[in-house]
Amino acid sequence: MTQDKDYVVVKLISGETVMAMFEGEDDKYVKVEYPVQIKTMVVPGLNRESIHAAPYCQYSESTSFVLEKSHIIYIKKLHKNSVSHYKSFMRSCDEAMTYRD
């Protein structure tokens, strides 16, 4: 990956799926900014899925996280159609946090 801020999806060994901006890496760690945890849930009786998003560590003021590579199953570039959803979610979070202050 390049050092430019790429949008990525990260699958962790805990089972969590996270969308984020890729900041960089070394031999042992990956740094991401503004991670968003994604959960897919089956809607009972409707035979379809619902996708929920929340800040990865919603009770922290930190926006930057360093993940140990041994805790990562994969990192993939976020599909271009999902980037706009990620940006929209981040704007909504920003507005909510501004409103709280």
Side-chain angles (χ1 to χ4, degrees):
M1 285 194 188
T2 66
Q3 290 301 318
D4 294 333
K5 290 185 183 178
D6 291 323
Y7 297 97
V8 295
V9 59
V10 182
K11 182 70 170 186
L12 301 172
I13 61 173
S14 63
E16 297 166 304
T17 302
V18 176
M19 292 189 296
M21 289 190 297
F22 178 82
E23 283 293 315
E25 66 182 309
D26 63 20
D27 291 341
K28 203 169 179 186
Y29 301 99
V30 171
K31 183 177 180 184
V32 294
E33 287 269 337
Y34 302 102
V36 175
Q37 185 175 0
I38 303 302
K39 292 183 181 181
T40 303
M41 305 169 93
V42 175
V43 179
L46 296 180
N47 198 26
R48 62 184 185 135
E49 293 180 333
S50 174
I51 299 173
H52 299 270
Y56 180 64
C57 188
Q58 61 189 354
Y59 301 110
S60 171
E61 289 184 6
S62 181
T63 61
S64 180
F65 293 83
V66 176
L67 306 171
E68 200 169 322
K69 285 185 173 180
S70 65
H71 295 182
I72 297 172
I73 296 174
Y74 63 76
I75 300 176
K76 297 289 183 180
K77 190 169 184 116
L78 188 61
H79 191 281
K80 62 184 175 186
N81 293 342
S82 297
V83 171
S84 62
H85 293 292
Y86 172 80
K87 288 180 177 179
S88 176
F89 178 78
M90 293 312 301
R91 277 192 300 276
S92 296
C93 284
D94 229 15
E95 290 169 8
M97 294 309 282
T98 302
Y99 178 73
R100 282 189 209 171
D101 292 339

